[in-house]
Amino acid sequence: MSYKITFKYLFISIIMSFILLINTHRLIAQVFDSEQNPPSVKWMQINTENFQVLYPSEFKVEANRMANTLEHLIENVSRTLGGSPRKITVILQNQGVVPNGFVQLAPRRSEFFTTPSQNFDIQDWLNSLAVHELRHVVQFDKLTGNLKAPFFEELALAIFGITLPAWFFEGDAVGIETSLSPGGRGRLPDWELFFRTNTLSTSMYSYSKDYFGSLKDRTPGYYQLGYFMTSKLRRDYGKGIIDSIMTRISRNPLRPYSLSSSVKKFTGLTTRNLHDSTVAELGRLWKDQAHSIRAVDYEAINRRPRKVPADYLFPVKVKSGEIVVLKTGLARTPALVRINSNGDENEILKIGYQTESNFKYSSGKLVWDELRYDARYQKRSYNVINLYDMAKRQYKQLTHKSRLFSPALSPDGQMVAAIKVSLDNKFELVEIDAEDGKELRAFSNPRNYILQTPSYSQDSKKVICVAITKDGAAVIEFDRSSGTNTIILPFQRQQLSRPVYAGNRIIFRAHYNGINNLYSVIPGSGVRELTAARYGASNASFDEESNVLLFNDYRVRGHDIASLQISESPESPASSIRNTFINYAGPLVVQESAPALFDSVPKENYPSKPYRELDNLFYFHSLSPIADNALSDDLKIGLQLKSNNKLNTLDFYTGYQFNSALKKSEYLAGFSYKRFFPVIDVRYVNQARLVYSRSISGGVTTLVPVSWRENFVQMEVRVPLVANRLNKTFAMGFSGSSSYTSRYEITNRPADFAEKISFPLKYQFYLNHNTQRSARDLAPRWGQNISVSYQSLPFENSLSGDIFRFQTSFFTPGIFINHSFQASFNYQNAEGIYRFNTDIPRISGYAHLPQSTLRNTFLLDYRLPLFYPDAEIGPVAYITRVKGGLFADFQNVGKGNPFSPRTFGVELSADMNLLRFFLPGFELSGKLILINHRPSRRSIVELGFNYSL
């Protein structure tokens, strides 16, 4: 959205943006979630004293477990924030494959996405979600608990988003997750890897850079930053400090920089000072840790032609002697890449989005998994298995609409082992045919361990996996002939990761010395250390022919490839290694005083009953402000009462607004029903209107004001569809709409004025195809986007007219990486009452040019990143990127017009965060427009101010 730079519009855009913010959680930062489940899902509910648990019928056992767990946890999660929250709905979402969770208001609910990651924590996934998300519930009620439905939930959400930065509420939740559970991300060296490496390798980054991130360097992320900063508050100032800070904020939430001033009141530190002292303390602790470890600096096999951070993941030697990796980074999207002995790279295939990065190689074939969207219901997604034959250069998607993860090829390349997760959260190791994707067998997992990352033995007789329970992680081996399984390494509080066979050994990643390293075990003997990486080693693969172990060695610019000759001499036993991990959450554990909390969860059998949509269509939660200036420079100001039900199937609003230009009251209402395949939108408005009619008398033309009121009703039916394959996303949709307008209280009625406009029809079809973008890309490298619409008046006798619109946008790569070239051709033909409509993009500077009937525009745009300053301008702005561009805009091409641009010029813009808000992201831009128009050639300067969520 674009706004003129006035204080009025700046204020409105910021406030309205934050009204849309929700609590961002776990693995994915997200804004308001409005997607649906398929209508075939049968919803049930359990009601306890503090929770309403909604769940799909097949999830009954886990739902009852979580109802008990939530009730058991709530007192402990709330204790250090002084009071329990109000009852809340928790929705267990089992249709998707992306691990996630969030809490939001408007409507008040929390959602747990029940499928875990393949590289998660060392405890039960749902238990971890419960602690983390419950802390967010307590935070919401602590700060805004008195602002409730049916009028103030959206206001509460806005206040929460404005007053608390994401690092604070997420860091506090990770701290509670770590201190109240036997696992938690604060206990994992893998989770602090970027932060620790940066602190030991580079000069200290600014508070803003660590918080907001960078397109130049790798930064920790606000979860990690927040965990350490909030933990330091509690370590230094006691367990009540978070409660004191939030209590003070709640008393005056609109105080500017409320968190920083509250932190300073109780500690004497600003948030910047807190950041600097936290990083300084961590630096000392991590340096002491590094000095106590005999680290080895392994030589990198890969070459880094650029300084841009990139990862060379899962190195494996192939038949030709080359190394294949999954390469991903800030400048490029994930791709399978071949590296020869000279370090030269050749891309094999770009791949799509993965819930967890992975691929495996065997017998000239590569296998990996990818996320697939449901075409209509975005709460449902799939994980499919893909295969690439390197000799044939042939790609194949083996499975469709599957829930299979972390595939591994058998040594002969004929079978694929993968982890299957059912809708009732049952985990199985399965084998599928590598030719047609058919499931061949499933291995018994009677205790329902969470299984991760399988791998075949060299003789294909066994498959090794990681198993997770509430007791930690273990390595489990499946015998393919008998179907039985054996625990090779017992359950322990180690993040065991990606085990592979190396002769008679099993090699895996763990953190016995406090840093991620590779270890080996021979079944029946002890664990031994293989690597002593400075920052972290992972992702081992073993080449039997050369007896060489390839692995990832992490450096400040990303994961490099390193190698190790497997020696016959014994390695250091893990039992002799001292754990040097910095247990930063240790004081928090003491403060909480809740040992073994999950060992005493009750097992009450709660009654369950159906959750019927018709009984829960409406949930009125907020009076929301209206500030609409879409049609004029005068605002329409008002209020609307909003309802959104908890399953996102019906959105409803009704409201009042005052038209400040016409000094008239207006009334509106509408709803969107989204349960079934088409989405139905209906809106009604009773509004005042004013136009000026030309009147000619005695050769003199005057403008006569024509005013009236009207009832306007519109209904639209739309079918939005989306699909993806590899690095490409496809979107297609169709919509049809009609309306009815009835006008009354008409003054100065013109002769041809119509009191009713009956059922004009509008049809629209769009088709989009775009490739995945890297963090640095300004646009898709390749994209084709086409939209066609037609509107007419087939049921009107007194009125006539139609408008046809054709709009396109095409993207191609620019000269250098991350540059983008865009060409857009747009055409419209408008007749009758639509002849003054302009529904296609206009040329730059159109408002300053003589106007004529617009038929088409042809817009050319070349955009490029200039530099990445990571510049902090006090607390006002943090600038991550400066961009440039060249453009040439053509109007009414053809019909004798010379093919020369009507306007052309240059533009300069900067991406930034303002006032230390993580969202929205802002863009400040300037555009120099040269008018190619005789006899005078003028220039125009336009300023733009945009935001995006």
Side-chain angles (χ1 to χ4, degrees), residues 59-252:
F59 213 73
K60 181 178 181 180
V61 174
E62 288 288 79
N64 191 74
R65 177 171 76 89
M66 290 315 300
N68 279 281
T69 302
L70 293 167
E71 283 291 343
H72 180 66
L73 291 175
I74 189 61
E75 180 181 351
N76 286 280
V77 172
S78 306
R79 184 183 297 123
T80 51
L81 283 182
S84 297
R86 292 179 288 115
K87 187 170 183 175
I88 190 170
T89 298
V90 175
I91 305 174
L92 302 178
Q93 299 282 4
N94 71 337
Q95 298 291 310
V97 297
V98 179
N100 199 9
F102 66 82
V103 179
Q104 72 172 53
L105 300 179
R108 177 182 171 87
R109 70 175 189 253
S110 177
E111 297 193 17
F112 295 4
F113 293 81
T114 61
T115 305
S117 162
Q118 286 285 291
N119 188 35
F120 180 59
D121 201 352
I122 47 179
Q123 62 179 325
D124 179 272
W125 163 249
L126 289 177
N127 286 352
S128 178
L129 271 181
V131 181
H132 186 101
E133 304 307 334
L134 281 187
R135 185 63 168 193
H136 288 318
V137 175
V138 178
Q139 292 167 347
F140 268 119
D141 279 16
K142 178 69 180 180
L143 194 65
T144 63
N146 294 324
L147 299 174
K148 308 174 183 178
F151 299 126
F152 299 120
E153 281 192 2
E154 209 169 60
L155 176 61
L157 186 62
I159 290 173
F160 189 88
I162 291 171
T163 56
L164 292 185
W167 68 258
F168 183 84
F169 58 76
E170 288 299 357
D172 175 57
V174 173
I176 290 297
E177 162 199 323
T178 303
S179 57
L180 287 182
S181 75
R185 285 168 286 181
R187 288 187 171 91
L188 305 180
D190 188 46
W191 196 67
E192 66 181 33
L193 177 62
F194 296 172
F195 206 172
R196 180 167 53 87
T197 305
N198 286 356
T199 304
L200 296 177
S201 304
T202 66
S203 57
M204 186 171 71
Y205 292 149
S206 70
Y207 163 58
S208 292
K209 183 166 180 173
D210 276 339
Y211 177 27
F212 297 120
S214 170
L215 293 171
K216 178 171 61 176
D217 300 300
R218 186 160 280 172
T219 55
Y222 57 78
Y223 278 84
Q224 289 86 342
L225 176 68
Y227 161 69
F228 286 108
M229 288 176 67
T230 56
S231 293
K232 182 169 178 59
L233 284 172
R234 291 187 59 177
R235 285 164 61 102
D236 293 354
Y237 301 97
K239 66 180 180 180
I241 185 63
I242 303 297
D243 180 51
S244 298
I245 290 169
M246 292 190 69
T247 297
R248 183 174 186 267
I249 294 172
S250 68
R251 290 171 182 162
N252 188 2

Side-chain angles (χ1 to χ4, degrees), residues 567-834:
S567 172
E568 293 300 324
S569 60
E571 302 89 3
S572 301
S575 58
S576 67
I577 298 172
R578 183 170 69 91
N579 183 2
T580 65
F581 181 69
I582 306 302
N583 185 13
Y584 207 69
L588 279 63
V589 177
V590 175
Q591 291 172 5
E592 293 296 338
S593 302
L597 193 59
F598 286 97
D599 289 344
S600 55
V601 176
K603 296 183 179 180
E604 182 177 345
N605 188 18
Y606 285 104
S608 180
K609 62 181 182 180
Y611 182 81
R612 296 183 175 87
E613 185 197 29
L614 288 177
D615 298 336
N616 299 277
L617 273 179
F618 294 93
Y619 177 89
F620 290 97
H621 55 74
S622 301
L623 277 175
S624 177
I626 299 171
D628 180 15
N629 68 318
L631 298 178
S632 68
D633 287 334
D634 294 287
L635 289 174
K636 294 182 178 181
I637 300 174
L639 288 173
Q640 57 183 335
L641 178 62
K642 297 174 73 173
S643 168
N644 303 90
N645 67 10
K646 295 178 182 179
L647 294 180
N648 296 330
T649 58
L650 179 68
D651 302 337
F652 174 84
Y653 68 90
T654 184
Y656 165 85
Q657 63 188 20
F658 182 74
N659 188 321
S660 61
L662 302 182
K663 305 296 188 290
K664 299 287 185 180
S665 294
E666 299 181 346
Y667 310 91
L668 59 153
F671 69 86
S672 180
Y673 189 57
K674 301 174 287 185
R675 181 183 181 189
F676 299 109
F677 203 78
V679 177
I680 300 173
D681 298 316
V682 175
R683 70 183 186 96
Y684 163 78
V685 61
N686 177 280
Q687 60 187 347
R689 300 295 302 274
L690 172 68
V691 298
Y692 288 88
S693 174
R694 293 179 182 271
S695 176
I696 302 175
S697 178
V700 178
T701 300
T702 58
L703 296 177
V704 178
V706 181
S707 64
W708 72 92
R709 294 192 69 88
E710 69 181 23
N711 289 301
F712 175 80
V713 182
Q714 182 185 53
M715 184 177 80
E716 180 180 43
V717 177
R718 52 190 171 92
V719 179
L721 300 174
V722 65
N724 65 309
R725 184 175 185 269
L726 294 175
N727 67 323
K728 303 173 182 66
T729 299
F730 307 86
M732 181 177 71
F734 171 82
S735 65
S737 64
S738 187
S739 62
Y740 180 79
T741 305
S742 175
R743 296 165 171 171
Y744 63 99
E745 295 182 6
I746 305 162
T747 60
N748 299 326
R749 179 201 301 263
D752 58 349
F753 189 82
E755 290 190 23
K756 299 183 187 302
I757 302 176
S758 300
F759 308 112
L761 296 180
K762 181 178 180 179
Y763 308 97
Q764 182 176 6
F765 172 78
Y766 65 86
L767 182 64
N768 303 329
H769 162 243
N770 295 285
T771 57
Q772 187 177 339
R773 293 169 59 174
S774 73
R776 282 190 167 193
D777 284 335
L778 300 181
R781 285 179 59 78
W782 297 98
Q784 301 84 39
N785 303 273
I786 299 171
S787 176
V788 179
S789 70
Y790 177 71
Q791 187 170 353
S792 64
L793 294 158
F795 304 110
E796 271 291 344
N797 296 322
S798 58
L799 298 173
S800 64
D802 60 11
I803 180 170
F804 172 80
R805 179 181 66 89
F806 176 73
Q807 186 173 338
T808 66
S809 182
F810 298 94
F811 298 97
T812 64
I815 299 172
F816 299 106
I817 188 172
N818 307 128
H819 291 206
S820 175
F821 177 73
Q822 179 182 2
S824 173
F825 178 74
N826 312 283
Y827 169 83
Q828 75 169 33
N829 184 36
E831 305 289 347
I833 67 167
Y834 299 112

